[in-house]
Amino acid sequence: MTAVAGAEGTGAAHPVTGLDEVVHQRVRLGILTITHEARRVEFGYLRTQLELTAGNLSKHLSVLEEAGLIEVEKGYEGKRGRTWITLTPAGTTALTNEIGRLKQLIARVETSGEAAED
Amino acid sequence: MTAESVPAADDPRRVLADLRALTRRVRLDQRMTWAALLVLAVATFAAIPFDWFGLWVNCLPDGGCQLARRGMLYYWPWAMVAAYAAIAVCYVRAARARGVGTRVMPYVITGAASTVVFPAAWVAVTVYFANHPIPEGPLPYWYFVLDRLVMPWGMIGVTLLVLAWLERNVALLLFTLAYLALVLLVLPMNFGFGPPHFGIRAGMAVPQVIAGVVLLLGALGFRAARRRRP
């Protein structure tokens, strides 16, 4: 787990300190979200939805695979090669945690905004 | 989606909005609602001849008639299994072609389970009233609703509710609620329209034709909506 920004204030740790750099990166967060919702997703579908080049998507998939968040399965359908991606249990947990922290962050920003107005 | 990293003040909100948009797109790509409705419409239409020719009628000298819809009991359990298998195949093939997985299996399992549970409940109700005297006076309204709920058209509606929940499909939810209101509260699915406007068999067929047409129109509507998607 790598923090992308320092904590601020006192008391409970700022939600930003819990953000995982591997997961928090936008494209990778998009990959995890799509894969979670789709159960199983094909490389070409991810590339289209995220508007990425094949090379760029491959790099992000490698990062997620090395972190143990996704599994990549290569196979054939007829003569056509296809790559399918599924989320690991660790990937599901990481995505859930990330979304939870983003929501906390929003709540925190809103709370501090209201306090500043008062 | 871009490859840039984190925070501007409103960034988390924007990220979550992007993720919701992605989730919605995946859900839309997983849907084959029109195919499910089409298969169920076909099953409903195909049931009519079974009900027509399988109907046992014994009219008494006092003008009353005893009925037993035996054709339905022979047809629907098999038809339901075949229909849910066909729906599962449609969903899996379409999702695979689009490059995503599918959420349909809980729906298919619910449908398959309902082919056992609902006919069993229906037979139980029939056997109960065959061995117990029907109470004097008009039967309570809830009895008719319960009777229609455990019939195949009611169970189609109940399983469509499961599909709407799985697909987070508000349009299907609204369609299903309207369909259930029709087959539970409006159409006499259990006793048919009967004389004087229709004969006994035709009176049984008319509500089934209406339910089938509604499912078919639903299929066409969802198909048209899907084709309009960019």
Side-chain angles (χ1 to χ4, degrees):
Chain A
M1 200 69 98
T2 314
V4 292
E8 64 179 46
T10 55
H14 193 284
V16 164
T17 58
L19 292 173
D20 184 335
E21 206 171 61
V22 172
V23 180
H24 188 73
Q25 203 281 340
R26 283 192 167 205
V27 171
R28 292 196 282 270
L29 196 49
I31 292 169
L32 293 176
T33 302
I34 290 175
T35 311
H36 180 259
E37 196 58 37
R39 306 287 193 271
R40 189 166 182 261
V41 66
E42 210 262 324
F43 184 91
Y45 184 85
L46 278 177
R47 202 179 57 182
T48 308
Q49 294 300 322
L50 298 170
E51 297 172 6
L52 297 170
T53 63
N56 200 352
L57 176 58
S58 292
K59 280 181 203 163
H60 287 294
L61 289 177
S62 298
V63 172
L64 291 170
E65 193 178 15
E66 280 168 26
L69 303 181
I70 60 165
E71 279 174 5
V72 178
E73 176 197 338
K74 294 188 180 190
Y76 285 91
E77 222 168 76
K79 289 181 179 175
R80 195 172 154 219
R82 291 190 102 178
T83 303
W84 290 89
I85 294 101
T86 47
L87 219 55
T88 62
T92 305
T93 307
L95 179 64
T96 308
N97 290 344
E98 180 70 17
I99 289 172
R101 289 199 184 95
L102 286 172
K103 286 178 179 168
Q104 279 176 16
L105 202 53
I106 292 168
R108 184 140 178 161
V109 167
E110 283 174 351
T111 311
S112 51
E114 283 167 15
E117 282 173 21
D118 294 340
Chain B
M1 279 271 169
T2 61
E4 73 209 26
S5 208
V6 210
D10 65 338
D11 209 42
R13 198 172 282 120
R14 192 153 55 88
V15 170
L16 282 180
D18 285 347
L19 298 185
R20 278 193 207 103
L22 283 174
T23 300
R24 186 172 152 70
R25 256 186 275 167
V26 173
R27 283 178 184 167
L28 288 174
D29 285 332
Q30 286 176 313
R31 288 178 189 168
M32 279 289 282
T33 316
W34 68 270
L37 292 175
L38 181 64
V39 169
L40 295 170
V42 169
T44 300
F45 286 128
I48 295 170
F50 284 87
D51 193 34
W52 186 289
F53 294 110
L55 186 69
W56 175 83
V57 184
N58 179 32
C59 286
L60 304 168
D62 65 0
C65 290
Q66 295 173 316
L67 307 172
R69 301 177 79 173
R70 291 172 179 163
M72 283 177 52
L73 278 178
Y74 294 125
Y75 170 80
W76 273 107
W78 300 108
M80 279 305 199
V81 171
Y84 287 113
I87 291 167
V89 169
C90 284
Y91 264 80
V92 169
R93 285 175 70 103
R96 206 175 164 81
R98 291 173 193 153
V100 289
T102 178
R103 299 171 148 262
V104 79
M105 288 323 285
Y107 167 65
V108 171
I109 292 165
T110 307
S114 74
T115 63
V116 177
V117 172
F118 283 80
W122 189 34
V123 169
V125 168
T126 308
V127 168
Y128 177 84
F129 279 105
N131 296 312
H132 294 76
I134 294 176
E136 291 290 323
L139 289 168
Y141 188 66
W142 64 263
Y143 165 80
F144 292 100
V145 175
L146 185 66
D147 190 33
R148 290 169 190 168
L149 182 67
V150 297
M151 296 187 93
W153 309 283
M155 80 192 182
I156 283 174
V158 171
T159 49
L160 279 177
L161 285 179
V162 174
L163 185 63
W165 169 69
L166 285 169
E167 292 188 341
R168 312 289 193 268
N169 191 338
V170 177
L172 179 60
L173 174 67
L174 295 175
F175 173 83
T176 305
L177 291 176
Y179 168 83
L180 274 172
L182 183 73
V183 297
L184 297 182
L185 305 176
V186 180
L187 293 175
M189 303 303 297
N190 37 1
F191 298 118
F193 284 108
H197 303 297
F198 299 97
I200 290 174
R201 286 185 165 80
M204 293 290 184
V206 171
Q208 297 178 69
V209 170
I210 296 171
V213 167
V214 168
L215 289 169
L216 188 61
L217 290 175
L220 294 174
F222 280 98
R223 173 77 175 145
R226 170 146 203 104
R227 288 171 77 98
R228 274 204 302 272
R229 270 188 67 204

